[in-house]
Amino acid sequence: MSRSWATRRSSLGWSQDSWSLEGVPLRFSVTKLLRHPRLHRLPRHLVPVGVLALSLLLTVCVSLLLNANVRARDQARFNNLVQSTSDRILRRLDTYIALLQGTEGLFATQQEVSPDEFSAFVQLFELQTHYPGIQGLGFSQRLSDEHHSIVLLEPRDSRNQAAMGYDMYSEPNRREAMARARDTGQPALSAKVTLKQEIHERKQAGFLLYLPVYRGGQTPATVEARREALVGFVYSPFRADDLLNGIFGIEHKPRVSFQVYDGTAVAPEHLLHVSHDPEALAREPMFTTTKTLTVAGRSWTLTFASLPSFDETASEFVVVPSLVAGVLVSLAFFFLTRAQVRAREAAERSTDELRVALAERARVEVQLREADRRKDDFLAMLAHELRNPLAPVLTAVQLMERKLQSGLSTEREREVVERQVHHMRRLVDDLLDVSRVTRGKIHLQKRPVELVAAVGRAVESARPFAESREHTLRVELPRGPLWMEADPVRLEQVLSNLLHNAAKYSEPGGRITLTLAREAGEAVVRVADTGMGIPAEALPHLFEPFMQVARTLDQAQGGLGLGLTLVKRLVEMHGGRVEVASEGVGQGSVFSVRLPLLPAERIPAEPEEERLEQDVPEESRRVLVVDDNEDAAEMLGEVLEMDGHRVTVVHDGMAALECLDALQPEVVFLDIGLPGMDGYEVARRIRQRTTGAGLRLVAITGYGQASDRKRSREAGFDAHLVKPVELDAVRALVADLGRLPGQRECTFNVTSG
Ligand code: ADP
């Protein structure tokens, strides 16, 4: 421990977040520490542990510093006590020396001092009262160089009487002190002696203090002269315990104990005084020290030890609480930092979530705006597309009327009407199909389908349109058959849609190539064209509903932007996927459809089921047509009549029921949406009649969903045709009276366009 610590009045303080020692700020700040870049580089969950470690380290450092500081202070307090004890002993002995000097003065001024004079002189000092520990004041007279005798000794108590006449020069310790006093002319303290006064059992260690008395009252200049002029010694005998207890005995609560040894050796034979019995001190003293005093030419060695009363007040006990407090503060820091870290993490998490949510919301908003825009575009387009075919139809009809009057052929007009109606039907079908697919209402009628044949049929249905636009349509097929599980109608719808688009989005005279191949266990159909191509930015959105590339109302191709959506959903329902590629505008496009192939063991032995028969009937049937749309009813009736059937047309349910018995029809085409009694009710009533029990009831309606079909079946219908009805289907139903129609209704309700 450096002395500077002991003497310096240290103060260790903490203010705000920084530590200071004696007002000098230590280079440490908690806030700075927390912001330290190293701390920030720690993984965040380790920061509290880092802070705890640093804080504990700091606690240990501060505690060590505090420990050193308080120990230094306690040492200084102990040193002060030692010093003051020593000083008090020295001061008291100085007092006795002064007393002797006063006595010596008596002898210097008078040649002869009578016992009574001496007694009166000594009584003046009131030795018992003011000079505790002193046994008396005496005078030892020099009889010769070697013989001295105590001639005066006050007070004259029994103890001192025992010493009277004693030749102190005969005893070595006394002689040494007397000789020293004689030769130096100075007061001289003897070594440890047993006083002549110790006439009782309990003896104490003692010592004597001598002061030479020379003839003439002056101290001669030389040793020889002093020896020569020596008359005797004034002296005082001391009992060590009485003296030192007299100095310290009145202390209320002593805080140091000490032992006084004569000379410089700490040995029992030299022990003069023990202030406290060392055996009685239960524990090791906190502080000990040894000090040497020189009193009247003689050395005394004092050993000091702190007493429990001192040790208990030692500030050392501050260190443990400070350590505990430091650990508690460190733990508080740890929990605080951990709470902060967690709060921050939670805040960051919420911010991230909020950011994601906002981004998602922004994305959804963009999507919604885009969808909204597309919907508006779509409605405009829908109106346009539905109105578009009406103009040529109207014109054709008017032309037909005039041509018929002139007896000219109306074949061309009929073709125009048919083409436009097909086109409109295609639009409406797409619209309904997309809506159904989106709501999961389309259920595939899957069965093993041979793809080469299916592709062939799709090509055939698309060929007229491709040819009308003067395209070359090339088909590349694999050698063997390719089987997959599919709904053949939907599959052909997909392929003919792609072919139709290829023809539609290519300038007349283009080249369309359909390739069917087996690749990596899949069937791949590629429809490539040399048409207008697709810009790169439109490719990712091409299969979204209402998506049309730079489509304007005045473009002639027609369409609602739903075909590809339908293609994608139908392909996916078949477990396949569709992709598009295009080098860009004017570079043509390639649509690839990948479909899973049927495992070899499931390929059927029999050839695929034949397509729908479209035979025109040979037998003439009795047919009743019930429709409030007079044109539609008449037209249908006319077609059937042209096929050789006997047809009756009525326009409401009551009329139908009324003529039923008279007509005995074999087939009834019954519109559902009739005024008054609807088609379902009419059907039910027909079925209740004996005439109506065996006939074929065919519903004609604008609604083609499964629920509609179910309802019509429950009402007693055998078949369900969706408007506009396919004449081939109508003919087949009339001609096919021998077979059960139940399984075929769906087939009639969908069209591949
Ligand atoms: P529609 O043909 O009724 O507009 P589709 O869903 O069939 O709707 O096609 C969406 C859009 O994709 C079309 O409007 C057209 O811009 C583009 N597209 C489709 N097929 C082709 C193709 N073969 N070549 C160029 N563009 C095409």
Side-chain angles (χ1 to χ4, degrees):
M1 178 57 49
S2 86
R3 240 185 101 65
S4 61
W5 279 116
T7 52
R8 200 189 291 171
R9 282 181 53 230
S10 304
S11 76
L12 194 64
W14 188 75
S15 77
Q16 304 249 323
D17 64 349
S18 62
W19 291 84
S20 63
L21 186 62
E22 299 197 327
V24 179
L26 294 180
R27 291 190 178 275
F28 170 75
S29 151
V30 178
T31 315
K32 272 189 204 155
L33 178 77
L34 289 177
R35 288 197 196 122
H36 198 282
R38 289 240 167 104
L39 212 57
H40 280 267
R41 250 175 268 142
L42 273 179
R44 188 165 300 146
H45 67 279
L46 288 182
V47 169
V49 180
V51 167
L52 179 67
L54 274 176
S55 186
L56 285 176
L57 191 69
L58 191 73
T59 300
V60 169
C61 291
V62 168
S63 297
L64 288 176
L65 209 65
L66 205 61
N67 189 31
N69 191 17
V70 297
R71 239 198 117 74
R73 275 206 216 179
D74 290 338
Q75 182 72 54
R77 280 202 306 135
F78 178 71
N79 290 348
N80 283 344
L81 275 175
V82 167
Q83 191 61 41
S84 83
T85 306
S86 309
D87 287 352
R88 285 172 74 181
I89 293 171
L90 285 176
R91 266 201 309 276
R92 181 59 64 90
L93 287 171
D94 283 348
T95 309
Y96 293 128
I97 289 170
L99 183 67
L100 278 191
Q101 281 167 341
T103 311
E104 190 250 326
L106 175 72
F107 285 89
T109 50
Q110 286 180 236
Q111 282 297 332
E112 286 286 322
V113 178
S114 71
D116 288 343
E117 279 175 336
F118 189 68
S119 175
F121 178 79
V122 172
Q123 275 173 22
L124 286 176
F125 296 120
E126 294 180 47
L127 291 183
Q128 299 290 359
T129 314
H130 301 301
Y131 300 93
I134 196 166
Q135 283 302 300
L137 265 176
F139 179 68
S140 169
Q141 190 169 4
R142 176 189 177 194
L143 302 178
S144 67
D145 281 351
E146 294 296 318
H147 294 288
H148 294 253
S149 175
I150 300 171
V151 292
L152 296 171
L153 188 54
E154 290 290 336
R156 287 184 210 158
D157 55 20
S158 58
R159 285 173 176 264
N160 282 343
Q161 287 297 336
M164 285 299 285
Y166 176 62
D167 181 0
M168 292 190 282
Y169 209 71
S170 62
E171 194 272 323
N173 285 353
R174 290 176 175 85
R175 184 167 59 233
E176 183 274 327
M178 291 162 85
R180 184 156 34 90
R182 179 196 63 201
D183 291 351
T184 59
Q186 296 293 320
L189 197 71
S190 77
K192 176 184 173 183
V193 297
T194 303
L195 296 177
K196 279 288 150 193
Q197 286 87 337
E198 295 295 344
I199 53 175
H200 299 301
E201 274 292 286
R202 289 182 60 217
K203 295 186 170 62
Q204 290 185 15
F207 57 90
L208 297 117
L209 188 60
Y210 295 97
L211 197 65
V213 178
Y214 299 104
R215 249 190 324 269
Q218 293 295 319
T219 304
T222 63
V223 173
E224 278 72 32
R226 287 176 203 145
R227 286 182 179 172
E228 174 57 32
L230 183 74
V231 177
F233 298 93
V234 287
Y235 84 102
S236 274
F238 292 93
R239 296 179 88 199
D241 287 341
D242 287 357
L243 172 72
L244 291 161
N245 285 340
I247 300 173
F248 298 103
I250 46 160
E251 279 205 340
H252 169 58
K253 203 173 181 188
R255 284 176 293 161
V256 284
S257 72
F258 59 90
Q259 298 178 4
V260 184
Y261 293 89
D262 172 44
T264 50
V266 176
E269 62 270 24
H270 299 305
L271 186 64
L272 283 175
H273 173 70
V274 178
S275 72
H276 294 81
D277 181 5
E279 303 284 301
L281 302 176
R283 61 191 186 94
E284 276 287 295
M286 202 175 273
F287 296 97
T288 56
T289 192
T290 303
K291 200 169 169 64
T292 305
L293 304 180
T294 306
V295 191
R298 181 88 201 155
S299 291
W300 275 1
T301 302
L302 278 75
T303 61
F304 291 90
S306 59
L307 285 172
S309 54
F310 177 90
D311 294 350
E312 279 158 16
T313 60
S315 21
E316 188 155 290
F317 296 103
V318 172
V319 174
V320 175
S322 77
L323 200 63
V324 171
V327 170
L328 288 178
V329 169
S330 305
L331 285 174
F333 263 139
F334 168 72
F335 287 117
L336 203 74
T337 318
R338 199 175 64 169
Q340 272 186 350
V341 165
R342 286 187 177 167
R344 186 170 171 168
E345 279 173 355
E348 281 177 1
R349 257 200 313 280
S350 337
T351 313
D352 284 350
E353 281 167 12
L354 200 66
R355 210 174 292 135
V356 169
L358 285 176
E360 178 63 16
R361 189 180 154 162
R363 198 180 61 77
V364 170
E365 270 177 16
V366 169
Q367 278 181 348
L368 281 177
R369 266 200 298 278
E370 176 63 14
D372 196 44
R373 188 189 63 73
R374 288 216 205 124
K375 183 204 71 190
D376 290 345
D377 289 355
F378 167 73
L379 287 176
M381 194 67 67
L382 183 63
H384 175 263
E385 290 300 324
L386 290 179
R387 211 179 315 113
N388 230 10
L390 292 179
V393 168
L394 204 60
T395 315
V397 170
Q398 287 165 352
L399 262 175
M400 279 165 98
E401 199 180 334
R402 285 168 64 179
K403 281 192 173 176
L404 281 173
Q405 282 169 3
S406 322
L408 296 171
S409 162
T410 56
E411 182 56 24
R412 208 163 145 251
E413 286 72 21
R414 194 196 59 74
E415 280 174 9
V416 168
V417 170
E418 190 177 358
R419 195 163 51 244
Q420 294 304 324
V421 169
H422 269 297
H423 178 63
M424 279 184 78
R425 206 175 92 173
R426 193 187 165 85
L427 291 180
V428 176
D429 281 350
D430 274 2
L431 198 55
L432 291 176
D433 279 349
V434 165
S435 144
R436 283 186 220 137
V437 166
T438 311
R439 288 179 293 133
K441 296 276 183 189
I442 282 191
H443 302 287
L444 298 182
Q445 311 273 316
K446 280 192 187 174
R447 60 186 170 82
V449 171
E450 203 286 301
L451 272 171
V452 175
V455 163
R457 289 193 291 270
V459 168
E460 285 322 304
S461 80
R463 192 180 291 284
F465 180 63
E467 282 173 358
S468 74
R469 291 183 61 80
E470 297 164 19
H471 297 309
T472 324
L473 180 54
R474 251 189 75 207
V475 180
E476 293 172 13
L477 297 170
R479 288 232 163 137
L482 288 181
W483 287 88
M484 71 169 291
E485 186 141 273
D487 181 330
V489 175
R490 294 302 187 182
L491 189 63
E492 284 167 40
Q493 187 178 356
V494 166
L495 299 178
S496 68
N497 224 323
L498 294 177
L499 287 166
H500 196 87
N501 276 351
K504 193 160 72 168
Y505 296 108
S506 297
E507 288 298 315
R511 208 169 52 250
I512 301 169
T513 314
L514 184 146
T515 326
L516 170 63
R518 177 200 290 268
E519 284 178 17
E522 287 179 322
V524 183
V525 185
R526 277 198 192 84
V527 179
D529 63 55
T530 52
M532 58 177 59
I534 300 155
E537 64 275 13
L539 287 174
H541 308 287
L542 208 66
F543 295 95
E544 292 172 12
F546 314 129
M547 171 66 191
Q548 290 183 307
V549 180
R551 176 75 203 280
T552 52
L553 288 178
D554 54 345
Q555 277 182 297
Q557 280 90 344
L560 297 171
L562 293 173
L564 287 182
T565 307
L566 204 53
V567 164
K568 181 168 189 275
R569 301 262 164 97
L570 288 175
V571 167
E572 284 170 356
M573 285 172 79
H574 280 88
R577 59 195 190 283
V578 60
E579 291 153 7
V580 59
S582 173
E583 297 287 306
V585 177
Q587 304 292 305
S589 328
V590 182
F591 287 81
S592 311
V593 177
R594 294 176 179 276
L595 295 162
L597 284 170
L598 208 57
E601 65 274 11
R602 290 191 51 205
I603 294 173
E606 285 184 20
E608 200 186 352
E609 190 192 313
E610 287 304 307
R611 290 196 75 193
L612 288 178
E613 290 171 24
Q614 297 180 357
D615 308 341
V616 176
E618 284 160 16
E619 259 179 77
S620 172
R621 305 284 187 196
R622 292 183 303 281
V623 182
L624 174 63
V625 176
V626 190
D627 197 335
D628 62 330
N629 185 327
E630 292 185 14
D631 287 349
E634 297 300 340
M635 295 305 292
L636 183 59
E638 212 167 307
V639 167
L640 291 171
E641 270 176 359
M642 284 175 74
D643 284 346
H645 303 299
R646 280 159 291 153
V647 183
T648 306
V649 176
V650 295
H651 302 301
D652 59 69
M654 283 314 291
L657 290 171
E658 279 164 15
C659 66
L660 198 70
D661 290 339
L663 287 176
Q664 299 273 326
E666 293 161 278
V667 188
V668 177
F669 290 95
L670 182 52
D671 182 27
I672 298 284
L674 290 173
M677 190 188 302
D678 69 13
Y680 296 123
E681 184 54 32
V682 178
R684 270 190 287 275
R685 294 198 184 184
I686 290 176
R687 285 298 184 212
Q688 285 162 6
R689 308 251 189 116
T690 35
T691 355
L695 61 77
R696 172 167 291 179
L697 256 183
V698 181
I700 297 180
T701 169
Y703 305 98
Q705 305 213 5
S707 57
D708 304 314
R709 295 169 196 285
K710 187 167 171 262
R711 199 168 164 205
S712 69
R713 197 160 40 241
E714 284 166 0
F717 285 102
D718 296 309
H720 187 111
L721 295 185
V722 180
K723 289 178 182 177
V725 293
E726 280 278 359
L727 290 184
D728 288 344
V730 170
R731 285 182 179 142
L733 274 169
V734 178
D736 199 20
L737 276 181
R739 294 199 220 164
L740 262 179
Q743 294 300 314
R744 306 190 57 175
E745 57 187 351
C746 289
T747 316
F748 291 129
N749 290 334
V750 289
T751 54
S752 59

